[in-house]
Amino acid sequence: MSTVSQMLDAYPKDLGGINEVSLVACIEACQSCSQSCSACADSCLSEDSVSDLTRCVRTNLDCADLCEVTARVLSRHTGYDAKITRSVLETCAAMCKACGDECTKHAGHHEHCRVCADACRRCEQACRELIGSLG
């Protein structure tokens, strides 16, 4: 059982009917995507063609930050507000799509961009699945 699952199980109140499987998957996907985007940005900065990767670096860093914030917001349940959660998830999904699209442009030349694009696609999908379960 993952730490995310353990923390949700340990929460002393009812989670309000949220799909816990989708919630865990989304938090974990956001954490993974944040790490992948941070590492990809760093790898881009180490490439000889770094000037061609400026937009990719920026998109990676923005995506990493948004994914980290999303994971943190999703981990809080006291005073839960579905409208805020939905907004955060929609923003994260949009950023993951943009970052995945940008990394895909470079994936043929840079393996780190391919790996990052895949992580972004998984996170985007996890966010959309959780949005769908919110009703």
Side-chain angles (χ1 to χ4, degrees):
M1 179 182 280
S2 72
T3 302
V4 173
S5 294
Q6 290 176 339
M7 289 306 295
L8 286 175
D9 287 347
Y11 187 69
K13 304 279 184 181
D14 179 28
L15 292 175
I18 194 164
N19 182 321
E20 288 186 45
V21 172
S22 293
L23 179 60
V24 168
C26 192
I27 292 170
E28 290 175 347
C30 286
Q31 291 170 334
S32 177
C33 191
S34 178
Q35 187 279 328
S36 296
C37 289
S38 293
C40 188
D42 183 64
S43 293
C44 286
L45 292 170
S46 295
E47 294 288 352
D48 292 335
S49 59
V50 69
S51 62
D52 297 333
L53 298 167
T54 303
R55 183 175 174 90
C56 193
V57 171
R58 170 61 191 262
T59 304
N60 274 307
L61 294 174
D62 288 349
C63 192
D65 289 347
L66 279 169
C67 286
E68 187 62 32
V69 165
T70 300
R72 290 169 49 196
V73 167
L74 292 176
S75 296
R76 299 179 189 131
H77 305 287
T78 303
Y80 175 76
D81 185 327
K83 289 195 303 189
I84 297 296
T85 299
R86 182 179 300 279
S87 178
V88 168
L89 286 165
E90 288 172 352
T91 302
C92 188
M95 187 71 242
C96 286
K97 179 173 180 2
C99 191
D101 290 349
E102 182 61 31
C103 281
T104 296
K105 293 177 187 176
H106 308 287
H109 294 86
H110 306 294
E111 178 66 7
H112 53 84
C113 286
R114 186 198 62 75
V115 171
C116 187
D118 290 347
C120 288
R121 302 282 183 238
R122 285 190 300 274
C123 190
E124 177 189 4
Q125 182 62 35
C127 287
R128 295 199 188 287
E129 286 178 11
L130 187 54
I131 290 168
S133 76
L134 294 176

